[in-house]
Structures are given as C-alpha cells and as structure tokens.
Amino acid sequence: MTGPTVPQQEPEGAGWVPTRALGRAVLITGLLLVAAVVLGRVDLIVLAAPFALGTAYALRRRPVAAPQVWVGADDGHLVEGGELTGAVTVGNPDDVDYDVAVLRTRVSPWLRVDGIAFAGTPAAGGRSGADRPFVTSVPAASAVDLELTGTALRWGRHRVGPAGARVATAGGLLVSRAVITEPVRVRVYPKTEPFDAVEAMPRAAGLVGAHHSRRPGEGGELAGVRVFAPGDRLRRIDWRVSLRARQLHVASTLSDRDAEVVVLLDVLAEAGRSGGVDGAASVLDTTVRAAAAIAEHYLHRGDRVSLLEYGPSARRLRPATGRRQYLTVLEWLLDVHVEASSHEPYEQVFGPQLLAADALVVVLTPLLDERSAQMLARLARSGRFVVAVDTLPADLSPPKDRGWAEVAYRLWRLDRDTMIAQLREHGVPVVRWAGAGSLDQVLRDVARLATAPRVGAR
C-alpha cells in the first residue's frame, strides 16, 4: 500500500466551530429567560430549562483535536486492466464520539471505481461513486475506512484523492472545519502486448549472447564445412568429409553474440483518442505499450536495452540488461508525455554520435512531424541500423467539419505516404506496429543488408 498522507495538525480547539443548532439553542434560552424576568413569569423559566440543560449536557465533553484523514492505495505491480484497491480513512484521535462524519474523495478518471463501501458493509457500485459524499459515525479513539475497489484503465501515474472530511459531534452542536489531505499517486504500468521477433540482428556488439550472428565463431549454428587450418579445434573435425576427401575438414559455426537495442520514442505529436486498455489507442498509448513489449522481449533474451525520447526534454535511459532494467524501463515509461516544440535543439542533446555504432535503433513514431523524418534520415546516413515503427492509429478518422476538411485530410494522407516512400528509398524500413511478428521481415532484411558487401564504398 502507498503510505497514507499525513494531514496537517491544527492547534487544539482551532478546528471546531459552533453550528446553527447551538446558536438557536442559546438564542431561545436567552429570549425565554429575558422574557421571564421582564414579565415575571416562572413558567417561561421552566420552558427554557430543557434547552439550557440539553445544551449543557451535549457540551459537557467537547472535542479537542481535529479529525484526521488518510488516503492509501495499493502500490503493487498494477498493470492496465488490473484490480485497484485503495482506502480513505477518517480517524478520531479524541475521546469523544463523532456523531456524523461526511467523507468525500476524488479519483482519477482513468481509475474506474466499481465499488465503494465502509469496512464491513456491502459495496456500492457506480462510476461516479467516488465523487459523492459518504456519511458514517466514528467512535472515540478509532478510525473508519472507506474502501475503494475498481479497475485501472490506462497506464500512467494517477491520483487517488484529495480527500476531505467534516465531522459533527456534541449532538450536532459542534462541527469541524474541513480537513483535506493530499492525494497519493498510483503507478499503473503499460500492458505489454504479445511480441516476438526473429533472432536476426544486423550487427552484434558483444562477444557472447543469444543471437546467431553471421560471423564465424564458437557458436551453435552450422555455417559449413571447410579445410582444417592451424588453430582449429580437434573436436570440430568432420570425420565423414575428411575420410571422403582424404584431407582434414572441420565444421564451421557462426558465433552467438548479444546486441544493444535502442528504443527511440517520438513524443513531438499526439493523435487519436485514448479509450483505455479495452478501447481505442492513441499514438502515445501505442508508443508506450510497444516500447514496453520490445524492451521486455530483448531484455528476456539477455540483450542491452536503452530508451530515448525524441522531444524537447530528450530524456535518456542508459543501456543495461536483466529484470532490474525491465522494471526501470516500466518506471521510465510512466513519465512519457507529448511535448510540442517549434525549436530543434537536438544536435546538441540528441544525435547519431550518442548512439552506439552497432546498436539496432527502433524508432516509434507517428510521422506527423517533418522533423521526425529528417531525424530518421540522419540516423540512416550515419550508418546506424534503423527500423521505423508507425504508431499512427489505423482507424484515425478525418475531421467532421464541413467545407474542405475532408479534402485537406486526403492531401495530408498522400503527403505522409510520400514521406514514408522517401524514407524507404533512403534505406529506412517503415512498418506498422501489429504486436508479435511486426519486425520479423524487417529485421531479416536489415541483417542481410548489414552483412552484404558494399559496392562502390570509398
């Protein structure tokens, strides 16, 4: 559970104010006593006695400390579509019972609250249940929990709270000022779509690993049979071929190497509308979920994975391997957001010189900005192995306005298709994200191009 927020403590007695009921009781008692003295009527004193005695009895024990409110939420590994559990607690630190406590809290719209109930009572469903007030009584020196259960609809850092409470005591004659506590943030990690890719890598950087490179070495994949040479191991001798050829031959294998994968997220523009885990996906949704899936796949294979934002902030995550890096990737992705900017300060903070020469660069981009295409072209010209993944929603609808809106949309589509064709001419493959198998054919083509001899190279 996320640690509960601590409310600000007020001076003793400063958080309580008289209600209108107390004012009416004092007013009626005073009027009756004044009338009894002026008119000399004893019956008016008898009539005022219940008001005076009842008020005095209710105020015999007055609260000193202000009520307390805490907000807590489950801080486990919550993924999109997972079950959310949280609680809003109102505490009574005094030795006087709270007759009525009115509690209310806000919840992020991406956290669908399916049930709300005080501990030990049946849950009440309803999406807007978290926004309406709940009423309960709180015994002295105790606390009551308002339990929240629901579903996390979208990745990100979402708020539970702020929460506020007002309580009444002394028979409704005293009421506290509103006590409001700060919200807590619930981390909802992106749901990784099923993703798998071929083992082909354009160029591996390490000496050992899980990828079959195209370079000879001590691997497990057979590359052919050749004549024995000095330095070859005896266990590599192929005796059948050697006996037929009457000359020693050895089995040649390809080396197994690891690779570095750079996942580059284009955050210059957003398109589409997010509908949560079960609804439509915007550009940012597809980008974040695809980045999580690609990172999970290659980290599971033992490769080094790093992340980089193409935007004004140019955030980076250093390359590393293992489960710890995967958890760091998920945490890093929670802070991804679109940042539009008219400037291009990327030559200083972002450029091909900051990427490893042997790295496979997977660029997740909607190709809505011309600067994104220029960036891809620069990476390709620098000799990097680049794969562009198109994250623009396939069902993106044209604007509903009248006039030339539909024609302008069709022209924009044609211009974007021309941009993609030009990128492919420059050697940048562009594929649409489709989960498992999205990059298989592209990775095979890039791997073949990386090992093919360069004609006319200077």
Side-chain angles (χ1 to χ4, degrees):
M1 295 287 288
T2 300
T5 56
V6 180
Q8 296 181 354
Q9 300 293 334
E10 298 186 12
E12 294 186 355
W16 297 92
V17 294
T19 63
R20 293 183 179 181
L22 178 58
R24 287 192 297 266
V26 173
L27 178 62
I28 293 174
T29 302
L31 290 176
L32 290 175
L33 292 177
V34 170
V37 173
V38 172
L39 300 177
R41 296 178 57 178
V42 181
D43 57 335
L44 294 179
I45 297 178
V46 176
L47 187 60
F51 293 98
L53 294 176
T55 302
Y57 180 80
L59 295 176
R60 76 191 187 283
R61 296 174 60 192
R62 293 188 298 175
V64 177
Q68 297 176 340
V69 181
W70 299 276
V71 178
D74 187 5
D75 197 28
H77 194 80
L78 185 60
V79 185
E80 290 178 304
E83 182 179 352
L84 166 72
T85 57
V88 181
T89 305
V90 55
N92 182 359
D94 222 316
D95 56 356
V96 180
D97 294 342
Y98 291 163
D99 300 324
V100 175
V102 181
L103 188 63
R104 191 167 186 173
T105 182
R106 293 183 179 272
V107 178
S108 168
W110 292 114
L111 301 177
R112 184 180 62 200
V113 178
D114 300 325
I116 303 178
F118 287 104
T121 61
R127 171 63 189 91
S128 60
D131 294 332
R132 44 178 219 262
F134 286 81
V135 180
T136 185
S137 59
V138 185
S142 64
V144 176
D145 294 333
L146 177 64
E147 299 177 347
L148 309 175
T149 58
T151 306
L153 299 179
R154 189 174 185 261
W155 59 273
R157 303 181 190 273
H158 305 301
R159 290 187 175 187
V160 177
R166 295 191 71 179
V167 302
T169 187
L173 300 180
L174 294 177
V175 65
S176 70
R177 291 189 174 93
V179 178
I180 301 177
T181 185
E182 293 296 326
V184 297
R185 291 185 177 273
V186 178
R187 295 175 296 180
V188 180
Y189 297 109
K191 182 179 180 180
T192 55
E193 302 177 6
F195 175 73
D196 194 11
V198 296
E199 298 179 2
M201 274 290 174
R203 187 182 298 163
L207 298 178
V208 294
H211 295 288
H212 301 311
S213 73
R214 295 182 178 270
R215 296 184 179 182
E218 297 295 328
E221 184 172 353
L222 183 66
V225 180
R226 57 177 176 80
V227 178
F228 180 87
D232 288 336
R233 297 188 178 184
L234 296 179
R235 61 185 181 90
R236 294 286 187 181
I237 297 177
D238 190 327
W239 292 106
R240 291 184 178 180
V241 178
S242 299
L243 290 175
R244 284 199 305 266
R246 299 183 179 276
Q247 187 179 6
L248 288 179
H249 284 71
V250 294
S252 174
T253 58
L254 299 177
S255 63
D256 295 336
R257 320 188 89 186
D258 70 347
E260 179 177 338
V261 180
V262 179
V263 183
L264 197 155
L265 287 69
D266 182 359
V267 295
L268 289 179
E270 170 71 311
R273 179 173 296 180
S274 177
V277 63
D278 296 324
S282 65
V283 167
L284 197 59
D285 288 340
T286 304
T287 299
V288 171
R289 292 166 185 164
I294 294 173
E296 180 183 22
H297 170 75
Y298 286 110
L299 287 173
H300 181 71
R301 299 189 60 82
D303 295 321
R304 298 184 304 278
V305 175
S306 63
L307 274 73
L308 176 62
E309 275 188 2
Y310 185 68
S313 61
R315 293 194 308 136
R316 299 179 62 90
L317 179 65
R318 62 177 182 81
T321 61
R323 176 170 175 78
R324 183 175 181 180
Q325 177 70 356
Y326 175 61
L327 297 177
T328 305
V329 165
L330 294 180
E331 194 75 20
W332 190 90
L333 289 174
L334 295 183
D335 297 320
V336 174
H337 61 279
V338 174
E339 292 184 272
S341 174
S342 58
H343 304 287
E344 191 173 2
Y346 308 114
E347 289 300 329
Q348 293 77 20
V349 298
F350 174 87
Q353 70 278 2
L354 300 178
L355 303 177
D358 296 323
L360 171 65
V361 184
V362 181
V363 183
L364 302 170
T365 174
L367 290 173
L368 294 175
D369 197 307
E370 186 178 351
R371 291 171 295 177
S372 302
Q374 294 173 356
M375 175 267 296
L376 289 168
R378 286 198 300 268
L379 289 176
R381 286 197 300 267
S382 67
R384 301 305 189 275
F385 304 103
V386 184
V387 175
V389 179
D390 186 3
T391 57
L392 190 70
D395 56 351
L396 189 64
S397 58
K400 302 296 183 181
D401 300 338
R402 297 179 179 179
W404 296 95
E406 186 176 353
V407 177
Y409 176 78
R410 293 170 60 186
L411 290 175
W412 169 79
R413 275 288 189 180
L414 291 174
D415 183 67
R416 185 174 181 273
D417 293 341
T418 302
M419 180 192 304
I420 293 176
Q422 292 175 347
L423 286 173
R424 288 170 176 164
E425 290 178 359
H426 282 78
V428 180
V430 181
V431 295
R432 181 173 295 278
W433 175 254
S438 299
L439 310 181
D440 282 357
Q441 186 60 43
V442 173
L443 290 179
R444 290 191 185 96
D445 294 342
V446 172
R448 282 197 297 266
L449 290 174
T451 56
R454 296 187 178 182
V455 180
R458 296 181 180 178

